[in-house]
Each structure stands twice: as C-alpha cells, then as structure tokens.
Amino acid sequence: QVQLVESGGGLVQPGGSLRLSCAASGFPSRYYAIGWFRQFPGKEREAVACINSKDEITDYTDSEKGRFTISRDNVQNTIYLQMNNLAIDDTAVYFCARGAAACPARALRATVASIFLSWGQGTQVTVSS
C-alpha cells in the first residue's frame, strides 16, 4: 500500500528554519518523482519543488528559490524539504506526493498538483513572531 507521511512542521519565528520529512512506504521512492506542495487557507494547492528518479530537481516558485531545498535519502526512503529564512507568508500546510518518474516542467506549475495521485496528510508550518 502506497503511503506518504509528512512530519517536521511546527511553529517557527521569521528567519528560522525547518526540515520537513516525507516518509514513503509501500514502494521504492527512488523510482518516482516526489513533489512538495503547500496550501494556504482558502487557496488551491501549489507546487513548491519536485525531485525525479534521477535526483534532478525542478523548482516551481521564484520566491522560494534559494530558501527551499528538496532532497532524498533512498536508504531511508524519505524525501526532505529544507526550508531556511522562513517568512510569515510561508505559513501553510505542506504536503508531499508521488508522481511518475519525471517531474512536470516548470511551465506547467499551475497544474502540477493534478498530476500527482498519491498524497500524504500534510504537516502544518506556522511562521510567527
């Protein structure tokens, strides 16, 4: 059974860091593209970053570039999202999801979420002073 479980969210002050984890089970995540997404209250889910089966990375946002880094540990079957210099506007529920082998192109970022079929339950990130 395919399962993705996010963890690592919480309350952090502006400028702080968090590392989110996405523990995969029921399948070898290294053969799949895994994406991180986030959802603001009342908004649609948006793509943040994706890592494909060749460990190539696609970033879907501009403001997060350089602050957020996706990576994977194939031994632990876990995918991470390192988030640095967090801002209040980063407050959202963060999800990971499994796609195919390739990450959708950045030009498709508005529809990326619809391509991923297996999702975790999400982890809340709150940035507040």
Side-chain angles (χ1 to χ4, degrees):
Q1 180 182 354
V2 172
Q3 193 171 14
L4 298 163
V5 178
E6 302 94 335
S7 62
L11 175 64
V12 63
Q13 291 187 338
S17 298
L18 282 175
R19 188 177 79 158
L20 305 183
S21 298
C22 172
S25 60
F27 71 101
S29 62
R30 65 181 179 273
Y31 296 127
Y32 294 85
I34 305 293
W36 278 101
F37 300 78
R38 63 183 181 181
Q39 189 166 20
F40 302 107
K43 301 284 188 178
E44 300 244 331
R45 210 165 286 187
E46 67 176 35
V48 176
C50 176
I51 186 166
N52 70 10
S53 59
K54 299 178 183 179
D55 286 349
E56 295 164 332
I57 292 169
T58 303
D59 290 306
Y60 294 106
T61 66
D62 291 322
S63 62
E64 282 68 39
K65 212 165 185 180
R67 297 193 300 125
F68 290 7
T69 304
I70 189 171
S71 64
R72 68 161 93 222
D73 183 331
N74 292 330
V75 173
Q76 298 294 327
N77 214 24
T78 300
I79 301 85
Y80 302 100
L81 185 68
Q82 177 68 42
M83 306 188 295
N84 298 326
N85 194 22
L86 284 160
I88 291 174
D89 289 347
D90 294 318
T91 296
V93 180
Y94 286 73
F95 300 85
C96 63
R98 187 186 86 168
C103 293
R106 192 168 187 271
L108 300 174
R109 59 185 178 271
T111 59
V112 166
S114 63
I115 299 172
F116 286 70
L117 300 180
S118 300
W119 291 81
Q121 83 290 346
T123 185
Q124 175 71 47
V125 171
T126 302
V127 185
S128 174
S129 55

